[in-house]
Amino acid sequence: GESVGLHLPTLSVQEGDNSIINCAYSNSASDYFIWYKQESGKGPQFIIDIRSNMDKRQGQRVTVLLNKTVKHLSLQIAATQPGDSAVYFCAEIPGGSYIPTFGRGTSLIVHP
Amino acid sequence: EAGVTQFPSHSVIEKGQTVTLRCDPISGHDNLYWYRRVMGKEIKFLLHFVKESKQDESGMPNNRFLAERTGGTYSTLKVQPAELEDSGVYFCASSPLGVLGANVLTFGAGSRLTVL
């Protein structure tokens, strides 16, 4: 079946660097995408979302880019901090559905 | 506002035993979801309640899993009898009903199940 996947399971960066986490999706019916952050011992927490009528959305230190042509989603974190260390999941939601489909996640490790 | 709470945080049982996980959603959230994450893999959907009704249970692995949400408030997920492959972290999430905000789930911290 169609699924959401991630290119890099682990990403290591130095504090202060910019991080880019990628996600590929295959369900062309998906029109809403969310990035979640999961810290150790906690559940996934909402970071930022984007609808399919947009190709970029910015938050505080985070930017999500959506390329519908190649079905690709990315999360950019500026000036990465040790507190950003976590597993990041992208989730896609098809139009008319209330059920997000998650991928495996990418573990981001930030070295001081 | 209290978040989504789950109990227990960790349960260790032997194969063949029964475990019941509980989830208390955010007050007023009619949508309630159960997901499961097996180590290193994706967070997989199990089922979705709207109030007390099962809206979608297509992700339930087999009939050893039983979810209930009597009264449309808290939910339980029972595994009976547990098998080794049931080990993982079970997440509960909730969201309000309606178009705005319905897709943004608030997750609990999860219940880690270890079957020996």
Side-chain angles (χ1 to χ4, degrees), chain B residues 15-68:
Chain B
K15 176 183 172 182
Q17 290 186 318
T18 298
V19 63
T20 300
L21 310 177
R22 172 171 169 144
C23 169
D24 285 82
I26 290 174
S27 178
H29 279 192
D30 289 329
N31 287 309
L32 187 149
Y33 306 77
W34 284 99
Y35 282 82
R36 175 175 71 175
R37 185 178 186 218
V38 175
M39 186 180 294
K41 297 192 176 180
E42 72 271 26
I43 299 174
K44 289 196 72 174
F45 168 77
L46 296 178
L47 88 160
H48 170 217
F49 284 99
V50 175
K51 298 184 181 179
E52 69 276 7
S53 299
K54 291 177 186 175
Q55 196 73 12
D56 184 339
E57 50 184 332
S58 60
M60 295 288 264
N62 50 61
N63 59 9
R64 294 185 294 102
F65 289 75
L66 175 64
E68 295 181 318

Side-chain angles (χ1 to χ4, degrees), chain A:
Chain A
E2 293 181 313
S3 63
V4 175
L6 293 173
H7 296 310
L8 297 172
T10 303
L11 178 64
S12 292
V13 300
Q14 289 296 127
E15 181 178 1
D17 287 351
N18 296 331
S19 303
I20 300 176
I21 300 171
N22 296 301
C23 175
Y25 68 95
S26 56
N27 188 345
S28 56
S30 293
D31 65 358
Y32 183 51
F33 304 87
I34 303 175
W35 279 101
Y36 282 89
K37 172 187 180 183
Q38 186 187 2
E39 297 175 273
S40 181
K42 298 182 180 179
Q45 294 177 290
F46 172 90
I47 303 174
I48 191 168
D49 59 357
I50 189 168
R51 295 205 174 272
S52 59
N53 61 352
M54 303 172 68
D55 53 19
K56 180 179 180 179
R57 188 156 191 233
Q58 286 185 290
Q60 190 175 22
R61 282 201 307 118
V62 294
T63 301
V64 55
L65 299 177
L66 175 62
N67 186 331
K68 295 181 288 294
T69 303
V70 295
K71 296 188 180 69
H72 185 267
L73 194 69
S74 69
L75 177 70
Q76 299 179 359
I77 305 174
T80 314
Q81 303 168 1
D84 295 326
S85 294
V87 178
Y88 290 80
F89 294 92
C90 68
E92 61 172 329
I93 301 142
S97 171
Y98 292 117
I99 300 173
T101 298
F102 289 82
R104 275 180 58 196
T106 292
S107 176
L108 175 66
I109 300 171
V110 182
H111 300 283

